[in-house]
Amino acid sequence: MVFGRKAEAEPPSYEPVHWDSVSKFTIGTASEPVARRGAGPGPLAVRVEKRAAGAVHLVPSVYVALPASDKPSAEAGFRLYEDEAGSRPLCSVTPDAGTEEDGSRRYRVHDDQGKEVGSVFKGSAAQRLVQHGWWLEQPGHSEVVARYHWAKGGAGQILGRTAGKALGSVVGSVMGLNAEGGDGGGTAKPVTWKSGTQVAMTSAPSGGRKWYLAQASWLDRRVAFALAVLREH
């Protein structure tokens, strides 16, 4: 019996959500969209929304294991597991040994058998003038990028077309978006990643969180999860 305050109801249990059936997801430790006062964080995970008895819960689908350190960061590489105990590995995300000369970086995603299933890229400063800073590749498909609506051609072509005052105004507008679609401050804006003309994935803020919607049936969810974790952590 609990005295002095009303006992908190335990969240309902749910059947695990298999990773390859996930479409809408977020990354975090909270089991609810707005954490209850006094509620401690749960494991860092790819979480999906489930509703029961009028309440919304963020249920883990895939668990994220960051490297052990004082300030763990996904950019040092990480692993994804299908269970909280870490006995069922899903994939690993490993950065290439060095940073490219232009400042870009590649993160390779390998399945539990060591086969590479795709890559996530952190773009260079020049690339971020024309597209979102994070993008991905998957074998058999053209690169999956989120280009700004005014950007046509590569970064070099953009810079060539926007010399002088035009360049200043373009760079200013990009900086206003933080070259990340609002990632680093101000009002976050939706981001849409496309492969050619096909929409592959969208990210948008809602309820104080970033949500991701994997839309292309061919998009390997492990690569999508990797991009989201890198972007958030």
Side-chain angles (χ1 to χ4, degrees), residues 30 32-37 58 207 209:
E32 298 181 356
V34 178
R36 294 172 298 178
R37 180 179 297 178
L58 301 180
R209 308 184 66 84

Side-chain angles (χ1 to χ4, degrees), residues 66-162:
L66 298 177
S69 68
D70 292 337
K71 295 182 179 179
S73 169
E75 292 199 32
F78 58 93
R79 292 181 177 273
L80 299 180
Y81 293 90
E82 294 189 65
D83 65 319
E84 187 174 358
S87 62
R88 289 155 50 205
L90 177 63
C91 66
S92 61
V93 182
T94 309
D96 277 356
T99 303
E100 298 295 329
E101 291 183 2
D102 63 1
S104 62
R105 195 162 195 195
R106 179 175 188 156
Y107 298 82
R108 299 180 186 271
V109 184
H110 294 87
D111 67 14
D112 62 323
Q113 301 299 312
K115 178 183 177 182
E116 187 170 329
V117 295
S119 293
V120 178
F121 293 83
K122 184 176 184 179
S124 65
Q127 287 171 319
R128 291 196 295 272
L129 286 174
V130 298
Q131 67 186 42
H132 190 275
W134 292 99
W135 54 283
L136 58 86
E137 282 185 353
Q138 185 175 318
H141 300 275
S142 58
E143 61 185 18
V144 183
V145 298
R147 297 174 67 84
Y148 300 129
H149 71 279
W150 46 262
K152 295 181 180 179
Q157 292 173 291
I158 294 292
L159 294 176
R161 290 202 305 268
T162 55

Side-chain angles (χ1 to χ4, degrees), residues 23-41:
S23 54
K24 180 183 176 183
F25 65 93
T26 188
I27 307 295
T29 60
S31 61
E32 298 181 356
V34 178
R36 294 172 298 178
R37 180 179 297 178

Side-chain angles (χ1 to χ4, degrees), residues 185-211:
T187 302
K189 297 175 175 61
V191 180
T192 301
W193 286 270
K194 294 182 179 181
S195 176
T197 59
Q198 183 183 13
V199 174
M201 183 168 68
T202 300
S203 172
S206 178
R209 308 184 66 84
K210 281 197 189 82
W211 287 93

